Coordinates of all heavy atoms in Angstrom, one line a residue:
M1 N 194.6 11.7 286.4 CA 193.4 12.5 286.3 C 192.2 11.6 286.1 O 192.3 10.5 285.7 CB 193.5 13.5 285.2 CG 194.4 14.7 285.6 SD 194.3 16.1 284.4 CE 195.9 15.9 283.6
T2 N 191.0 12.2 286.3 CA 189.8 11.4 286.2 C 188.9 12.1 285.3 O 189.1 13.3 285.0 CB 189.1 11.3 287.6 OG1 188.9 12.6 288.1 CG2 190.0 10.6 288.6
E5 N 187.5 15.5 286.7 CA 188.6 16.4 286.8 C 189.1 16.9 285.4 O 189.3 18.1 285.2 CB 189.8 15.7 287.5 CG 191.0 16.6 287.7 CD 192.1 16.0 288.4 OE1 191.9 14.9 289.1 OE2 193.3 16.5 288.3
A7 N 187.2 17.1 282.7 CA 186.1 18.0 282.2 C 186.2 19.4 282.9 O 186.1 20.4 282.2 CB 184.8 17.4 282.5
K11 N 187.1 22.9 280.8 CA 186.1 24.0 280.8 C 186.7 25.2 281.4 O 186.5 26.3 280.8 CB 184.8 23.6 281.5 CG 184.0 22.6 280.8 CD 182.8 22.2 281.6 CE 181.9 21.2 280.8 NZ 180.6 20.9 281.5
N17 N 191.1 30.9 280.9 CA 192.5 31.1 280.6 C 193.3 31.4 281.9 O 194.0 32.4 282.0 CB 192.7 32.2 279.6 CG 194.1 32.1 279.0 OD1 194.7 31.1 279.0 ND2 194.6 33.3 278.6
P18 N 193.3 30.5 282.9 CA 193.9 30.8 284.2 C 195.4 30.8 284.1 O 196.0 30.1 283.3 CB 193.4 29.6 285.0 CG 193.1 28.5 284.1 CD 192.6 29.1 282.8
E22 N 194.7 24.8 290.1 CA 195.0 23.6 290.9 C 193.6 22.9 291.2 O 192.7 23.5 291.6 CB 195.6 24.0 292.2 CG 197.0 24.7 292.0 CD 197.5 25.3 293.3 OE1 197.2 24.7 294.4 OE2 198.2 26.3 293.2
Y24 N 192.1 19.6 293.2 CA 192.3 18.6 294.2 C 191.0 17.8 294.4 O 190.0 18.3 294.6 CB 192.6 19.2 295.6 CG 193.8 20.1 295.6 CD1 193.7 21.5 295.4 CD2 195.1 19.6 295.7 CE1 194.8 22.3 295.3 CE2 196.2 20.4 295.7 CZ 196.1 21.7 295.5 OH 197.2 22.5 295.4
D26 N 189.2 15.5 296.6 CA 189.1 15.0 298.0 C 188.1 14.0 298.2 O 187.7 13.7 299.3 CB 188.8 16.3 298.9 CG 189.9 17.3 298.8 OD1 191.1 16.9 298.6 OD2 189.6 18.5 299.0
A35 N 175.9 10.6 303.4 CA 175.3 11.1 302.1 C 175.9 10.5 300.9 O 175.3 10.5 299.8 CB 175.5 12.6 302.1
T39 N 176.3 6.1 296.3 CA 176.8 6.9 295.2 C 177.8 6.1 294.4 O 178.7 5.5 295.0 CB 177.4 8.2 295.6 OG1 176.4 8.9 296.3 CG2 177.9 9.0 294.5
K42 N 183.0 8.2 292.2 CA 184.1 8.4 293.1 C 184.7 9.8 292.9 O 185.8 10.1 293.4 CB 185.2 7.3 292.8 CG 184.7 5.9 293.0 CD 184.2 5.6 294.4 CE 183.7 4.2 294.5 NZ 182.8 4.0 295.6
F46 N 185.6 18.3 295.5 CA 186.8 18.9 294.9 C 187.1 20.3 295.5 O 186.2 21.0 296.0 CB 186.5 19.2 293.4 CG 186.5 17.9 292.5 CD1 185.4 17.2 292.3 CD2 187.7 17.4 292.0 CE1 185.3 16.0 291.6 CE2 187.7 16.2 291.2 CZ 186.5 15.6 291.0
V49 N 191.7 25.9 293.0 CA 192.4 27.2 293.2 C 192.6 27.7 291.8 O 193.2 27.1 290.9 CB 193.8 27.0 293.9 CG1 194.5 28.4 294.0 CG2 193.6 26.4 295.2
A54 N 190.1 37.0 284.3 CA 188.7 37.1 284.1 C 188.0 37.5 285.4 O 186.9 38.0 285.5 CB 188.1 35.7 283.7
K58 N 185.8 41.8 290.0 CA 184.7 41.0 290.4 C 184.9 40.6 291.9 O 186.0 40.2 292.3 CB 184.4 39.8 289.5 CG 184.0 40.1 288.1 CD 183.8 38.9 287.3 CE 183.3 39.2 285.9 NZ 184.0 40.1 285.2
Q60 N 184.2 38.1 295.2 CA 184.2 36.6 295.3 C 182.9 35.9 294.9 O 182.9 35.0 294.1 CB 184.6 36.2 296.7 CG 186.0 36.4 297.1 CD 187.0 35.6 296.3 OE1 186.7 34.5 295.8 NE2 188.2 36.1 296.1
P61 N 181.7 36.4 295.3 CA 180.5 35.7 294.9 C 180.3 35.7 293.4 O 179.9 34.7 292.8 CB 179.4 36.6 295.6 CG 180.0 37.1 296.8 CD 181.4 37.5 296.3
A62 N 180.7 36.8 292.7 CA 180.6 36.8 291.2 C 181.6 35.8 290.6 O 181.2 35.1 289.6 CB 180.8 38.2 290.7
Y68 N 180.7 28.2 288.9 CA 179.5 27.3 289.0 C 178.8 27.2 287.7 O 178.3 26.1 287.3 CB 178.5 27.8 290.0 CG 178.9 27.8 291.5 CD1 178.6 28.8 292.4 CD2 179.8 26.8 292.0 CE1 179.0 28.8 293.7 CE2 180.2 26.8 293.3 CZ 179.8 27.8 294.1 OH 180.2 27.8 295.4
G79 N 175.0 11.8 290.9 CA 176.3 11.2 291.2 C 177.5 12.2 290.8 O 178.6 11.8 290.9
H82 N 179.4 16.8 294.6 CA 178.6 17.0 295.8 C 179.1 18.2 296.5 O 178.3 19.0 297.1 CB 178.6 15.8 296.6 CG 178.0 15.9 298.0 ND1 176.6 15.8 298.1 CD2 178.5 16.1 299.2 CE1 176.4 16.0 299.4 NE2 177.5 16.1 300.1
E94 N 197.2 36.5 293.5 CA 197.9 35.2 293.6 C 199.4 35.5 293.9 O 200.0 34.9 294.8 CB 197.8 34.4 292.3 CG 198.5 33.1 292.3 CD 197.8 32.0 293.0 OE1 196.7 32.2 293.5 OE2 198.3 30.8 292.9
Q100 N 203.8 36.8 300.1 CA 203.6 36.8 301.5 C 204.0 35.5 302.1 O 204.7 35.4 303.2 CB 202.1 37.1 301.8 CG 201.8 37.2 303.3 CD 200.3 37.4 303.5 OE1 199.5 37.6 302.6 NE2 199.9 37.5 304.7
A103 N 207.8 35.2 302.2 CA 208.3 36.1 303.2 C 208.1 35.4 304.6 O 209.0 35.4 305.4 CB 207.6 37.4 303.2
K105 N 207.9 32.2 305.2 CA 208.8 31.0 305.3 C 210.2 31.5 305.6 O 210.9 30.9 306.4 CB 208.8 30.3 303.9 CG 207.6 29.4 303.8 CD 207.7 28.6 302.5 CE 206.4 27.8 302.3 NZ 206.4 27.1 301.0

Side-chain angles (χ1 to χ4, degrees):
M1 285 192 249
T2 61
E5 183 178 341
K11 289 179 178 185
N17 191 29
E22 299 171 29
Y24 301 94
D26 296 330
T39 300
K42 301 299 181 206
F46 289 91
V49 178
K58 291 180 175 55
Q60 287 295 332
Y68 294 145
H82 173 77
E94 180 85 353
Q100 182 180 2
K105 285 181 184 177

